[in-house]
Amino acid sequence: MIREQGGSLSLGGVMVADIALIGLAVMGQNLILNMNDHGFVVCAYNRTVDKVKSFLENEAKGTKVIGAYSLKEMINTLKSPRRVMLLVKGKFLLLSQLKIYNSGSAVDAFIEQLVPLLSPGDIIIDGGNSEYQDTERRTKDLEQKGILFVGSGVSGGEDGARYGPSLMPGGNPKAWPHIKPIFQAICAKVNGEPCCDWVGETGAGHFVKMVHNGIEYGDMQIICEAYHLMRSGLQLTQEEMSTVFDEWNRSELDSFLIEITRDILKYKDEKGYLLERIRDTAGQKGTGKWTAIAALDYGVPVTLIGESVFSRCLSALKNERVEASAVLSGPDPIYKGDKKQFLEHLRKALYAAKIISYAQGFMLLREAAKVHNWNLNYGGIALMWRGGCIIRSVFLGNIKSAYDKNPKLSNLLLDDFFAKAMDKCHQSARTVVSTAVTIGIPTPALSTALAFYDGFRTGRLPANLLQAQRDYFGAHTYELLGQEGKFVHTNWTGHGGKVSASTYDA
C-alpha cells in the first residue's frame, strides 16, 4: 500500500510523484525534505521498509512526501519519464535470486531490480560516492536497455542535503533536461547562481566528485598541520587558536573548513574542551584513496592529496606511534621565535598549499577529460563548489575567474592571480616548512606543496640522470635534447647488447 502525507491525490487515489528516492539514511531523508520544500512530490522507499513508515510518521510528517513498501508500488507513483534516485551503500542480499552484493554493489542490486519495472527513457540516478569506472559501466549498459543513467556527486553533508548541496551530475546527457529543474532548485546558490550544472558524459560527474573529495582531504590535512604547529610549536591555547582561525576566516582563507575549525577549537562540554579528548586516529571512506590511485593511473603528480591519504594511514598506527614516542629521539618542538610573525607566515603557507592542492586537482580533471573526451567546464566546476559543499570557499571564485578568462588554461599556477599569490606566499611557506623540520613537527602536506611548486617552476629537473640509470640497467632508452620523440639506447658498460626494451611514459 502506498502511504502519503498531505497533498492531493490523483490517478485513482495514488499521488503522482515527481521523483522517487531509495535510501532513507541521513542524506536521503534530508534530500527528500529539501525537494519537498521546493514543491516537488517525492516517493520514499527503503530496503528495510519499517524505515519508510517511521520517516512518514516523524521527519516527513505534514509534508507531501509519500511512501512505498515495494519497488513496484514506488514505480507506480511516478510521472513519466520516471526518475529514481539511489542513495544506498553496504551489503545487499537479493533473496529472490540468492545473490549477495558486497559493499559498493548495492547500486547494481537495485538497478537489477528496477530495470524490469521501468520503460525506455526512464532515469536512474546514483547519488552515492560510487567509483567513476562503475558509473561509466552502468551508463553504457543501461543505455543499451533504453534507460538513462546519471551518476551525480552530492556534497555538503547532512546540512547541505537539507538546505542546499553542491550537485555534480554526469552520465547520459539525455537525462539532464528531465532532472535539471529538480537539481537546480534544491542545490545551493551563490549570488543567485545554482551550484549545479551538467558535468559531462559517463563517469564525469562521479570523477569530479572524487577529485572534490580528494581536495577536501588536502584542505583538512593542511589545516591540521597548521593546528599542530600552533598547539605543539607555538604552545597556543585552544581559545587562542580559535581566535587565529577566526581572523584567518576573514582573509583569503575564508572557507567552510576554516570556519568549523574555529568552532571546534572553542567547543566545550561539561568536561571542558572536547577536541583534546578525541583520539588522534583519522578514518576515511576511500574517495581520497581513489583520487590518489587515479592520479597514478593518469600520471598526474597530485602529491598533496596523496600525502593527505598517507597521513590518515599513519594516524591509524596509534599504538606503534605511542611506543615509538618513548624510544625515538627528536628536537625540542617548542618554537622560540616571534609567534605573531610566524602565524602570518603560517597563514600564507596555508594559502599557498591550498592553491597547489586545487592546481593539482584541476590538472587531474584536465588529464581525465582528455582521456575520456569529456568536455569539462572548469569554471563551472569551481562555481559548483562555491556553495553547499565541504570545500566551499571564497577562493573558488578566483578559480572560476581564471577559467572564465582562459578556458584553455593548462594550470592554475599560470594564471596571473595565482602566480602573484604564490609570489607573495612561497617565501612564508619555506619559513614554515623549514621551521617545522627544525623543531620536528611533521608537515607532510605543506612540505609536498612547496616541493611541487619548486619542481613545477624548474625548467630542468634531474630526470635526465634517472633516464640514464634506467637505460643503464634495463635498456629502457632515453631521448636527447633537441631530438624529442627519438628513443635511443647506449651500451654503457661496453659489454651490453644493442637491443633495447620497450619505451613507456611516466
Side-chain angles (χ1 to χ4, degrees), residues 96 331 343:
S96 61
L343 283 171

Side-chain angles (χ1 to χ4, degrees), residues 215-395:
I215 291 172
E216 179 185 309
Y217 272 55
D219 267 6
M220 294 171 75
Q221 179 61 30
I222 58 178
I223 290 171
C224 287
E225 289 174 15
Y227 156 71
H228 194 175
L229 284 165
M230 288 186 209
R231 184 195 65 188
S232 299
L234 304 186
Q235 301 280 289
L236 300 186
T237 66
Q238 288 202 201
E239 197 64 40
E240 288 172 329
M241 287 187 280
S242 178
T243 300
V244 170
F245 277 100
D246 183 55
E247 292 171 356
W248 286 359
N249 200 45
R250 286 181 262 123
S251 70
E252 302 96 328
L253 292 173
D254 179 357
S255 65
F256 173 73
L257 285 170
I258 294 289
E259 180 183 324
I260 67 168
T261 301
R262 173 200 66 195
D263 296 342
I264 290 168
L265 281 161
K266 67 181 179 182
Y267 183 85
K268 290 181 179 179
D269 59 17
E270 66 281 356
K271 296 181 180 179
Y273 288 109
L274 175 60
L275 181 59
E276 286 302 303
R277 303 200 307 276
I278 296 176
R279 194 167 187 260
D280 57 317
T281 54
Q284 55 180 310
K285 292 188 175 180
T287 46
K289 180 179 70 176
W290 295 349
T291 310
I293 292 171
L296 292 170
D297 286 341
Y298 292 105
V300 180
V302 185
T303 56
L304 197 149
I305 293 171
E307 284 292 351
S308 300
V309 173
F310 288 131
S311 293
R312 295 194 185 195
C313 296
L314 181 59
S315 77
L317 304 177
K318 176 67 175 178
N319 293 337
E320 292 94 325
R321 289 189 290 111
V322 170
E323 182 181 358
S325 69
V327 176
L328 302 179
S329 63
D332 180 356
I334 299 176
Y335 179 67
K336 303 296 195 303
D338 186 315
K339 292 183 181 181
K340 184 176 181 181
Q341 186 181 63
F342 185 79
L343 283 171
E344 178 58 13
H345 285 312
L346 187 55
R347 183 186 70 83
K348 289 181 177 179
L350 200 60
Y351 186 47
K354 190 178 179 73
I355 291 172
I356 296 298
S357 182
Y358 281 77
Q360 291 182 352
F362 276 86
M363 284 170 65
L364 181 55
L365 290 176
R366 181 170 290 279
E367 184 61 27
K370 190 189 305 180
V371 171
H372 295 278
N373 294 315
W374 295 333
N375 185 26
L376 299 184
N377 180 344
Y378 303 105
I381 290 169
L383 176 61
M384 284 184 232
W385 294 348
R386 279 191 67 190
C389 67
I390 305 302
I391 63 172
R392 62 184 180 265
S393 65
V394 173
F395 168 91

Side-chain angles (χ1 to χ4, degrees), residues 170-238:
N172 194 318
K174 294 177 183 177
W176 178 232
H178 302 291
I179 66 172
K180 180 178 179 180
I182 298 176
F183 273 39
Q184 291 198 337
I186 67 171
C187 71
K189 312 292 188 302
V190 174
N191 299 325
E193 295 182 85
C195 295
C196 168
D197 206 347
W198 186 251
V199 175
E201 295 190 359
T202 62
H206 274 138
F207 192 92
V208 168
K209 176 57 163 54
M210 178 193 74
V211 174
H212 162 285
N213 283 26
I215 291 172
E216 179 185 309
Y217 272 55
D219 267 6
M220 294 171 75
Q221 179 61 30
I222 58 178
I223 290 171
C224 287
E225 289 174 15
Y227 156 71
H228 194 175
L229 284 165
M230 288 186 209
R231 184 195 65 188
S232 299
L234 304 186
Q235 301 280 289
L236 300 186
T237 66
Q238 288 202 201

Side-chain angles (χ1 to χ4, degrees), residues 5 30 92 103 108 126 132 222 226 242 332 335 349 359 387 393 398 425 427 431 451 488 490 494 497:
Q5 292 291 328
N30 281 295
F92 183 84
S103 178
D108 288 320
D126 174 16
Y132 75 96
I222 58 178
S242 178
D332 180 356
Y335 179 67
S393 65
N398 303 120
C425 294
Q427 198 57 55
T431 299
V488 296
T490 293

